[in-house]
Amino acid sequence: MKVKDNILIVTSISDDRSGIEAIKREFEKNHRDFNVIVIDETQYGDDRAATRRSRNRERLIQSVPTLYRRFRSAGTAINVRTKTSPDKRRAAGKKLKGSTRRIYNAVLRFAPDVIVVTSPRLMHETVIAKKRTRFRYPVVGLCENFTLDKAFYNMSADGYIVENADTKNQLTAMGYSSGRVHVLGFPIEESPADVDYVMKMKEHLGLNLNPTVYLSGGTIGSKELFPVFELLLDQGNLINVIVNCGRNENLYNLMLREAERRNADNVKLYVSADVDAEDTLLAADCIITIYDSTLIYRAFLTGIPVIAFAPDNGAEKADLAYLKDKGLIYFAEDYNHVIIGMYDVLQSNLGKQLSENALMRTRPASLRDICTLLASYYRGQPNA
């Protein structure tokens, strides 16, 4: 039986996983010769787990079938790919510390055809591991931002997947090879819901036919959500409110108590673990969210206008400023402007303009194209 080739995705527990999960599903469906492995802090960031694994590291490395297959099929592949002997490579690996060392151990264990990295810190640590141990597996940055986060940029990276040509131009202006930057959008595949489906979704949720707002606090569930939630409740039954509190159960409980205190029967609250949390997005006529690039891109694909507020850092501010300048979102400078923007989007032509601009920009085949690119790294550089 043929042993599958591996693609290793190094991500953070705080990142939105919807794009990564979509990549896994696409490979399972259309690239069955590959196995997608995802690691986060629960694999490389827990010191106790790392200590426990370190006692068995050598045994695990020796027993991994993928390395064995590579060694048999390529003869001296390990020596050629790393430019060092296995003993020297392991000695170099032992000099690494913390999550850098654990990422390197994962690389040794899975011998991936390509390593996909999703954040600046992880790119930095993966590149350090590569430089010090000289492993030759390509490292590719998956940039789920709309502008270039310079902290993510590293000349030693073997490639970048970016959302737009402007980001590619920023990278090449810094001296990075144009041929290694791939403008492919985000790994998300969705399409606008028809009117009948939206009506059925509202009926399923027990909501009336008034405009529905989807309020999101991102993956973690930002505390910035509660003041906006209170303002939305002040609007009475004029609008329905669907809230995704992310992983923040305390925020969920706080909002639940407030909704019960006000006898608000037009409110639906979820945490990200709830099965229906993501599907409820399609019942929305408008999305209000803190910075969440994946959700914003989903909104672009589904044709739902976006109101964004409360960016947390310079990179997020740059992204939202870029999207605002391109006429793709409504940016609210404070909580009151969130409500002003909501009525502008729902009651004027603004919402339609934002949706049309966003739909023209998106790439419907982004997910498929990204997976095809990653699969092309098998035993070599991606195909042109």
Side-chain angles (χ1 to χ4, degrees):
M1 182 177 70
K2 185 182 183 298
V3 178
K4 291 186 177 181
D5 300 291
N6 290 330
I7 291 175
L8 179 65
I9 300 180
V10 183
T11 187
S12 171
I13 196 170
S14 63
D15 289 343
D16 189 308
R17 292 290 190 89
S18 54
I20 294 172
E21 293 301 323
I23 289 174
K24 289 184 68 174
R25 290 193 297 271
E26 177 68 15
F27 268 93
E28 289 169 359
K29 180 180 177 181
N30 295 319
H31 301 277
R32 296 182 180 177
D33 290 339
F34 290 85
N35 185 36
V36 177
I37 300 136
V38 181
I39 64 171
D40 57 27
E41 288 91 338
T42 60
Q43 285 83 35
Y44 63 73
D46 187 331
D47 290 335
R48 288 178 297 177
T51 301
R52 186 167 61 250
R53 283 194 302 274
S54 67
R55 294 195 295 266
N56 299 317
R57 185 177 63 253
E58 293 300 322
R59 179 178 62 81
L60 286 171
I61 292 171
Q62 293 297 331
S63 64
V64 172
T66 308
L67 279 174
Y68 178 70
R69 175 186 59 80
R70 296 250 173 146
F71 182 76
R72 289 196 62 182
S73 63
T76 57
I78 290 180
N79 290 332
V80 171
R81 290 174 75 86
T82 62
K83 297 183 180 179
T84 61
S85 70
D87 290 340
K88 289 182 179 179
R89 181 179 58 184
R90 288 176 191 154
K94 289 179 180 179
K95 295 179 181 179
L96 299 174
K97 295 181 180 180
S99 56
T100 303
R101 179 174 177 176
R102 294 165 205 146
I103 290 171
Y104 175 64
N105 287 341
V107 171
L108 280 181
R109 178 180 179 185
F110 297 111
D113 289 287
V114 61
I115 303 162
V116 181
V117 185
T118 64
S119 73
R121 178 179 64 83
L122 297 174
M123 173 62 77
H124 176 70
E125 292 176 347
T126 304
V127 166
I128 286 177
K130 180 173 183 176
K131 284 182 175 180
R132 292 186 183 176
T133 61
R134 299 183 183 180
F135 69 74
R136 295 291 299 275
Y137 309 120
V139 177
V140 176
L142 177 61
C143 303
E144 292 188 293
N145 298 84
F146 298 97
T147 57
L148 175 63
D149 183 353
K150 292 183 179 180
F152 204 176
Y153 169 71
N154 195 304
M155 281 292 289
S156 297
D158 297 280
Y160 281 97
I161 298 169
V162 299
E163 193 269 339
N164 58 72
D166 293 328
T167 303
K168 177 174 181 175
N169 293 337
Q170 286 179 285
L171 271 169
T172 54
M174 295 173 68
Y176 197 78
S177 171
S178 174
R180 293 193 289 169
V181 184
H182 310 277
V183 181
L184 298 176
F186 286 8
I188 300 172
E189 192 171 56
E190 291 217 39
S191 57
D194 58 51
V195 176
D196 289 341
Y197 183 87
V198 173
M199 293 298 105
K200 288 179 181 178
M201 177 64 75
K202 288 185 178 182
E203 183 180 354
H204 172 71
L205 295 173
L207 300 173
N208 57 44
L209 298 182
N210 289 339
T212 300
V213 172
Y214 185 93
L215 178 63
S216 173
T219 306
I220 300 300
S222 170
K223 63 182 181 181
E224 300 281 357
L225 230 58
F226 190 71
V228 175
F229 180 67
E230 290 183 301
L231 290 172
L232 290 173
L233 292 182
D234 290 342
Q235 311 311 306
N237 289 323
L238 293 175
I239 57 169
N240 302 311
V241 182
I242 300 171
V243 186
N244 189 334
C245 300
R247 298 175 187 156
N248 194 335
E249 294 190 3
N250 291 333
L251 178 64
Y252 171 87
N253 291 328
L254 178 64
M255 289 184 168
L256 182 61
R257 288 193 298 270
E258 183 65 15
E260 290 175 346
R261 187 181 70 82
R262 299 201 191 193
N263 296 317
D265 57 1
N266 59 332
V267 174
K268 298 296 176 181
L269 296 168
Y270 297 90
V271 291
S272 56
D274 293 334
V275 175
D276 297 332
E278 289 195 5
D279 294 339
T280 58
L281 174 70
L282 297 178
D285 300 289
C286 168
I287 293 174
I288 298 175
T289 181
I290 65 163
Y291 177 84
D292 183 341
S293 61
T294 302
L295 177 62
I296 291 172
Y297 198 79
R298 280 190 71 197
F300 289 173
L301 289 169
T302 53
I304 304 173
V306 175
I307 299 167
F309 71 104
D312 191 47
N313 54 49
E316 294 181 2
K317 290 177 181 177
D319 263 20
L320 295 184
Y322 173 82
L323 295 176
K324 177 186 175 184
D325 290 343
K326 294 292 184 181
L328 300 170
I329 66 167
Y330 180 100
F331 175 64
E333 297 180 355
D334 54 41
Y335 301 138
N336 289 328
H337 278 87
V338 169
I339 305 303
I340 294 171
M342 179 191 71
Y343 282 115
D344 283 348
V345 165
L346 294 175
Q347 296 179 350
S348 73
N349 199 44
L350 177 60
K352 182 179 179 182
Q353 289 178 342
L354 295 176
S355 298
E356 289 177 350
N357 292 344
L359 282 170
M360 290 176 60
R361 175 191 181 84
T362 54
R363 302 170 58 98
S366 288
L367 176 62
R368 184 172 65 249
D369 292 345
I370 288 172
C371 292
T372 300
L373 172 71
L374 296 178
S376 73
Y377 276 94
Y378 173 62
R379 291 184 183 175
Q381 290 301 307
N383 298 323

